[in-house]
Structure formats: C-alpha cells, structure tokens
Amino acid sequence: MKVFILGSGAIGSFYGGKLQLAGAETALLCRSDYRTIKKQGVWVKSITGNFHFKPKMVLKSPHELPWKPDYILVCLKVLPEIDISAIIRPVVSEDTAICLIQNGIDIEPPIANAFPNNELISGLAFICCQRIKSGMVEHFDYGKLVLGNYPKGVSNKTRKLAKFFGKSGVVCDVTDNVIKARWQKLVWNAPFNPISVLAGGVTTEEMLSDKQMEETIRAVMGEVCALAEADGHPLPENVVEENISFTRVMTPYKTSMLLDYENKRPMEVEAILGNAVRKAKQMGIDVPHINTLYSLLSMLNKKNTC
Amino acid sequence: MKVFILGSGAIGSFYGGKLQLAGAETALLCRSDYRTIKKQGVWVKSITGNFHFKPKMVLKSPHELPWKPDYILVCLKVLPEIDISAIIRPVVSEDTAICLIQNGIDIEPPIANAFPNNELISGLAFICCQRIKSGMVEHFDYGKLVLGNYPKGVSNKTRKLAKFFGKSGVVCDVTDNVIKARWQKLVWNAPFNPISVLAGGVTTEEMLSDKQMEETIRAVMGEVCALAEADGHPLPENVVEENISFTRVMTPYKTSMLLDYENKRPMEVEAILGNAVRKAKQMGIDVPHINTLYSLLSMLNKKNTC
C-alpha cells in the first residue's frame, strides 16, 4: 500500500507514522520541516507509546513522488490560502483514493469537484496532539479516527485503510454517513474552539466553569443541531448533553485553535464557522450565536497573523 | 453652587473642571492621583481649548468634605466592585442631587434605592477623552451631555446644572426620558465597545470595513431596539441606520472599553452588556448576539485583570 501524506504537522506525523508502522510505504510532503525530517524523521511522543516515524521518502514537492499513490492522506489545515487540489493534482491517478483527515464542515466539495472520478474518503480525527518543534510531535490524549466515503457509503478501499490503521493500534471506525459525522463533531468544535480563543485563552474546564458561558456553548451546539437537521442529518437528541458532560470530565486542555492563535498561525475559521454560516444562509436557518463568533474570530484571525 | 466630584479620570476632570470654570465651588475625590492633583490640579488638553482644573478642594475621603454639596457628580466607571452608594453616603444631605455621568443601562436603581428621597439625575456623556497620566487628561472629540431626572422628568435643579455646563461651553441637553436616552446610547455602545476588544483591538473604522462584522453590529443594535421597545421606550425607526452612517464618518478611534482592556483595567461589562442581558431575561426577549458578546467579554475581562 503506497500512501502519500500531505503535511508533517501533528496529524500527518501521527497517522502517517502509524500507517508506516503497519507496513505501508509512505512518502511525506514537508515544507518548513523538510531538512530536519529528511535527516531524522519525526519523533512522536505518545500516551499510547512513543514511536519514530521515518517515512520511506521525504519530499519537498509532489512532483518528486516516483509512484502513483493508492491513498493520499491530506493532513493539512483547512485554510483558504491552501489549495489542496492544486497540490495533489500531479500525483492523483485513476486509482488514487483521496483521504481528508481534517476539521470542519462542508470541506469536501472543492476536492470532490476537482477530482470527480476519484474516490474521496472523508476522515475525522478525535485526538489531542501537537507539533512541539520541527521533527517532534506530542500525542496527549485520544486518537480515534472515523472514515467514510464522501458523500456517503463505505468502499472496500476505505475498509482496507481502516484495517491498516487498526493494525497499528489506532481505533478506526467507518461510517456510511460521514456528513452526519462531521456535523456531530462540529457540535463540539463550533463552540469550544472559537470561544477558547475569543474569551482570552481559556481551557475547556474554564469555559464550563462559568454558568453564562455554558449557556452560550449550549446555544451554539443547538444551532449546529438545527443545521444538521435541516441538512437531512438529524443528530441524536442527547448530543448536546453528552458533549457537555464528556467535556466536563476531560482533562482540561487548550483547543487546537487556541494553540494556533497563541503561535500566531492562521486558525481554521472558515472550515469550522464560515462554512456553517454559509450553509445556514443557504438553508434559511438563523444561527445568531455562530454568526457572532464567526465575525469576531474572522477579524481576530486577520489581526493575529498580519 | 457646591459640587462634589467623584473620580479624577477623564470624565470627572473634564466635566468637573468645566463646572469650576463656570463658577461652581468644587471638591474632587481622588484615589491614586491624589498627590499629583492636590499639588498641581489637572491639565486638560482639549480640542475646544486647553484648560487647567484646580479644584477648590482635593480630597482623599468623602469624610473630609466640610460642606453638604448641592450636587454630587459621579464620574466613576460602573463596576461591580465599586459601591457608589457607600462612597457618597457620608456627604449626601436632604437637598443633595446625585448626578451620574456614567455609561450603561439600568445603572440607576442601586442609587435610587439607597437614597429614595434624593433627586437623582442621570447623565450621558458623548465624548472621546482619556486620562493620559496622573493629572493629565486629553479631550479628543465631541463633548455633549444629556441630563434627565431618573426615572423621568426634568427638575429645576437639573435645568440649573445644565445651564452651568452651558455657561462653560459644554453643550448640555435635558431630556424628560433619560431611560430612553440610555437605550439610545446603548445602540452604539453594545456592539462597538465589546467588539472592539473581542475582535483583537480594532477601531470603529476596521469594524465597519468588514461586511460580516457590519451584519453582526446591526444585529446587536436590533436587539437593543427590541429591548428598548419592550421596556416601553421605542426608539426611532432609523436609529440603527443613523448609528452606522454616523460611525462611518467618525474619526476612527479606539473605544473606551478597548483603552481599558489595553491598560488592563476592568471593563464596564455589566453596565453595558450584563444589565441588558438581565433586562432581556426579565422581559422574555431573545438577545442571542448580545448574550454571546456578554459571555465572551465577561471571561476575557476576568482573564485580563487577574
């Protein structure tokens, strides 16, 4: 199994490394970390066991890839300035399945439109991990993957990939409704990621220790549920309650968005909030809480990275 | 006319100084600026002409005041940790009128309840000014005052105070419905003050240069209008439009809340947003945009000042 991995951040290093451990032949596309990773690979400090990811190939450009990959694992952040289709076009062949391990809602259409004849696997990572420095990643908690074909179904190729992840110790579920799975993940991401930044750099625990903030969090979650339902994917009735109580018992941590903000990196504002706001407009659903977060975070994001 | 002024910040120094120029006998209560102001008074650099405010008396404690004031001019920020009633109790006599020159909505009840037999004048300052350092204040723009008795009407004492301000060159209107005037001012304050902070330190111009943000601002204003109407004080139909176009042509500036935030001073979150949220709950009005701003700003405020 030949896998081309886009991105040497925490997600690409962790899951790419796991595939390599399971016996895949991997090529890792790097940007700023190229020199370090070419020389030493990536050290992954993980609660499930440290490991060393030494990809078969470390590339600076997709054009250097000597084979056509069976899978492309897209582990880049979803940002307007990153044109994933343009990056992978040189290496996509007829049989290549494109697998997105990315956050957000409604992030698949640009890739689906650019490669209408390729299998598109949409994946969600439930993990706390962080790039500590060039060539070093730390995995703090969780780690489950959920994969499904976009817009629906589970192909053999998807099952095969899930099995490979399983072999390396990653819990990897498949779902025949990945759009619903994305809505379900957004129930958590839409409130906690933006608020952790906007409220001044707060942990999940701090957010839930404030009664008024908890109300706001529940209201944002309720809006996501309304959107999912209007989109034809009603979520379980207890999804808000479950997300709140689950987060209460979690080890308090900084969200990925907060880590990005603190490191002056662009945040995934469009993938997490902007796409939801646009979907809401299309469907005529009122999402005032999400709208407010979106306006504030968009502006803060520009300020933070300019 | 004997006036006891609470607060040697920008508002107290500017308006207190103007009353002194008009011939009032003033006593100024200071805290951290006591030594400087006792020695040299306050220098006010103003677009309408610089002046020097040398109060007749500079006090550290209200107990030092040798006379019963005709007016108490309260020019402190509205903060939960400042108990204005307790501060002024020693100097309030039967004939003392208490005049609040403060921001926010529904800020009068605690004072009205503490001094049910005294005249309570509620005042709004439309001014851009800032304390530059101890004993130095700068007045950048505007300066109009609006005074009215709480909860309604205009007494002779209020007219007399307005006349005194007028004598010193301050445009001072009176209104027989100051509660409505407060709602009307909140139309501007509720969006621009909080958003200027939450969006990362932005000016009025930056806020209005973003289409999505303008929508959010209009939505917040709309919620204030709904509250005012439910409270029995419907605002003019074009109030949102007017506030937007007026702000567009304003010299771009940092809001007072942003100045507080940047200087790590507590912000008037409760006066501007918290009281509106509580009023909304009482009246059963849904204010999701204001709620979101309130949750975020409350938490940010705690983070910023601790």
Side-chain angles (χ1 to χ4, degrees):
Chain A
M1 183 200 278
K2 290 188 167 71
V3 185
F4 178 53
I5 302 151
L6 251 77
S8 57
I11 298 288
S13 299
F14 182 81
Y15 291 111
K18 288 293 190 178
L19 284 182
Q20 162 104 357
L21 289 178
E25 179 175 346
T26 62
L28 180 65
L29 184 73
C30 300
R31 283 187 306 176
S32 56
D33 293 342
Y34 175 77
R35 274 164 177 260
T36 312
I37 295 179
K38 175 93 184 166
K39 204 170 133 194
Q40 63 159 58
V42 186
W43 296 95
V44 183
K45 191 178 163 194
S46 166
I47 49 148
T48 53
N50 304 345
F51 66 91
H52 182 222
F53 174 28
K54 184 92 184 148
K56 186 86 183 277
M57 270 172 277
V58 176
L59 312 179
K60 248 183 168 165
S61 154
H63 292 280
E64 299 165 17
L65 191 68
W67 32 256
K68 290 293 180 184
D70 299 308
Y71 296 91
I72 299 176
L73 211 62
V74 178
C75 304
L76 299 174
K77 281 200 295 181
V78 183
L79 296 173
E81 59 267 36
I82 302 181
D83 183 347
I84 291 164
S85 298
I87 299 174
I88 63 177
R89 189 167 296 284
V91 303
V92 173
S93 77
E94 212 178 304
D95 299 325
T96 305
I98 304 161
C99 177
L100 312 176
I101 315 257
Q102 296 179 301
N103 260 325
I105 197 75
D106 210 27
I107 60 159
E108 302 92 345
I111 319 292
N113 294 336
F115 306 100
N117 301 317
N118 285 81
E119 214 175 281
L120 180 55
I121 306 170
S122 189
L124 295 163
F126 296 82
I127 190 166
C128 299
C129 58
Q130 198 188 343
R131 176 187 173 281
I132 301 298
K133 59 175 187 177
S134 194
M136 186 160 297
V137 161
E138 187 162 359
H139 166 218
F140 304 100
D141 219 343
Y142 311 101
K144 192 177 85 167
L145 276 179
V146 174
L147 304 180
N149 286 71
Y150 181 84
K152 60 183 178 187
V154 182
S155 71
N156 287 337
K157 237 179 158 173
T158 302
R159 285 192 202 284
K160 193 178 166 194
L161 183 61
K163 217 179 232 170
F164 245 79
F165 276 119
K167 243 170 87 179
S168 69
V170 171
V171 177
C172 185
D173 295 346
V174 294
T175 174
D176 60 359
N177 189 348
V178 75
I179 296 181
K180 181 176 175 172
R182 284 207 172 268
W183 281 120
Q184 197 145 357
K185 194 176 184 198
L186 197 70
V187 171
W188 197 93
N189 275 337
F192 286 108
N193 269 300
I195 290 172
S196 68
V197 175
L198 289 167
V202 291
T203 64
T204 46
E205 189 182 37
E206 289 174 287
M207 284 182 260
L208 284 180
S209 69
D210 180 296
K211 200 99 203 80
Q212 167 79 19
M213 185 59 89
E214 185 185 329
E215 261 183 54
T216 302
I217 288 167
R218 283 174 185 269
V220 174
M221 289 178 169
E223 288 176 359
V224 175
C225 292
L227 288 177
E229 186 159 357
D231 195 33
H233 305 283
L235 302 181
E237 231 172 77
N238 61 346
V239 71
V240 170
E241 219 42 57
E242 270 201 347
N243 269 281
I244 295 284
S245 38
F246 154 77
T247 308
R248 256 192 223 297
V249 298
M250 258 169 66
T251 313
Y253 83 103
K254 289 186 177 185
T255 66
S256 59
M257 217 175 227
L258 180 53
L259 295 175
D260 283 336
Y261 178 74
E262 290 183 343
N263 290 291
K264 304 235 167 232
R265 293 188 300 249
M267 298 179 278
E268 291 179 299
V269 181
E270 296 307 324
I272 307 254
L273 295 176
N275 289 352
V277 162
R278 283 180 283 274
K279 271 286 207 198
K281 256 189 193 155
Q282 275 166 30
M283 304 191 295
I285 307 282
D286 207 22
V287 291
H289 296 88
I290 296 179
N291 262 323
T292 309
L293 296 181
Y294 177 50
S295 302
L296 295 171
L297 203 64
S298 302
M299 197 162 269
L300 189 62
N301 196 29
K302 274 180 221 145
K303 275 267 158 185
N304 193 46
T305 51
C306 72
Chain B
M1 183 199 278
K2 290 189 166 70
V3 186
F4 178 53
I5 301 152
L6 251 77
S8 57
I11 297 289
S13 299
F14 182 81
Y15 290 111
K18 289 291 191 179
L19 285 182
Q20 162 103 357
L21 289 179
E25 180 175 345
T26 62
L28 180 65
L29 185 72
C30 300
R31 284 188 305 176
S32 57
D33 294 342
Y34 175 77
R35 275 164 176 260
T36 312
I37 295 178
K38 175 93 183 163
K39 205 170 131 194
Q40 63 159 58
V42 185
W43 296 94
V44 182
K45 191 178 163 194
S46 164
I47 49 149
T48 53
N50 303 344
F51 65 93
H52 182 222
F53 174 27
K54 184 95 183 145
K56 186 87 182 276
M57 269 171 279
V58 177
L59 311 179
K60 248 182 170 167
S61 154
H63 293 279
E64 299 165 17
L65 192 67
W67 32 257
K68 291 292 181 185
D70 299 307
Y71 297 91
I72 299 176
L73 211 62
V74 178
C75 304
L76 299 174
K77 280 201 294 180
V78 183
L79 297 173
E81 59 268 37
I82 301 181
D83 184 348
I84 290 164
S85 298
I87 300 174
I88 64 177
R89 190 167 296 283
V91 302
V92 173
S93 77
E94 213 178 302
D95 299 325
T96 305
I98 304 162
C99 176
L100 313 175
I101 315 256
Q102 296 181 300
N103 260 326
I105 197 75
D106 211 25
I107 60 158
E108 302 92 344
I111 317 291
N113 295 337
F115 306 100
N117 301 318
N118 285 81
E119 214 176 284
L120 181 53
I121 306 169
S122 189
L124 295 162
F126 297 82
I127 191 167
C128 299
C129 57
Q130 198 187 343
R131 175 187 174 281
I132 301 298
K133 60 176 187 177
S134 194
M136 187 162 297
V137 161
E138 189 163 356
H139 166 220
F140 304 102
D141 219 344
Y142 311 103
K144 191 177 87 168
L145 275 180
V146 175
L147 303 180
N149 285 70
Y150 181 83
K152 59 185 178 187
V154 182
S155 70
N156 287 337
K157 237 179 158 171
T158 302
R159 284 191 205 284
K160 191 180 167 195
L161 184 60
K163 218 180 231 171
F164 246 78
F165 276 119
K167 242 171 89 179
S168 70
V170 171
V171 177
C172 183
D173 295 346
V174 294
T175 173
D176 61 358
N177 189 348
V178 75
I179 298 182
K180 181 176 175 173
R182 285 208 171 267
W183 282 119
Q184 197 145 356
K185 194 176 183 197
L186 197 69
V187 171
W188 197 94
N189 275 337
F192 285 108
N193 269 299
I195 292 172
S196 69
V197 175
L198 290 167
V202 291
T203 64
T204 46
E205 188 182 38
E206 288 174 288
M207 285 182 258
L208 285 180
S209 69
D210 180 297
K211 199 103 203 77
Q212 166 79 19
M213 185 58 88
E214 185 185 329
E215 261 182 55
T216 302
I217 289 166
R218 283 174 185 269
V220 173
M221 290 179 170
E223 288 176 359
V224 175
C225 291
L227 288 176
E229 186 160 356
D231 195 33
H233 305 284
L235 303 180
E237 231 174 76
N238 62 347
V239 70
V240 170
E241 218 44 57
E242 270 201 347
N243 269 281
I244 295 284
S245 39
F246 154 77
T247 309
R248 256 191 222 299
V249 298
M250 258 170 65
T251 313
Y253 84 102
K254 289 186 177 185
T255 66
S256 59
M257 217 176 227
L258 180 53
L259 294 175
D260 283 337
Y261 178 73
E262 290 182 343
N263 290 291
K264 303 235 169 235
R265 294 189 299 250
M267 297 179 279
E268 292 180 299
V269 181
E270 296 307 325
I272 307 253
L273 295 176
N275 289 353
V277 162
R278 284 179 283 273
K279 271 286 206 197
K281 257 188 194 155
Q282 276 167 28
M283 303 190 294
I285 307 283
D286 206 22
V287 290
H289 296 88
I290 296 179
N291 263 324
T292 309
L293 296 181
Y294 177 50
S295 303
L296 296 171
L297 204 65
S298 302
M299 197 161 269
L300 189 63
N301 197 28
K302 274 179 221 144
K303 275 265 157 189
N304 194 46
T305 51
C306 73

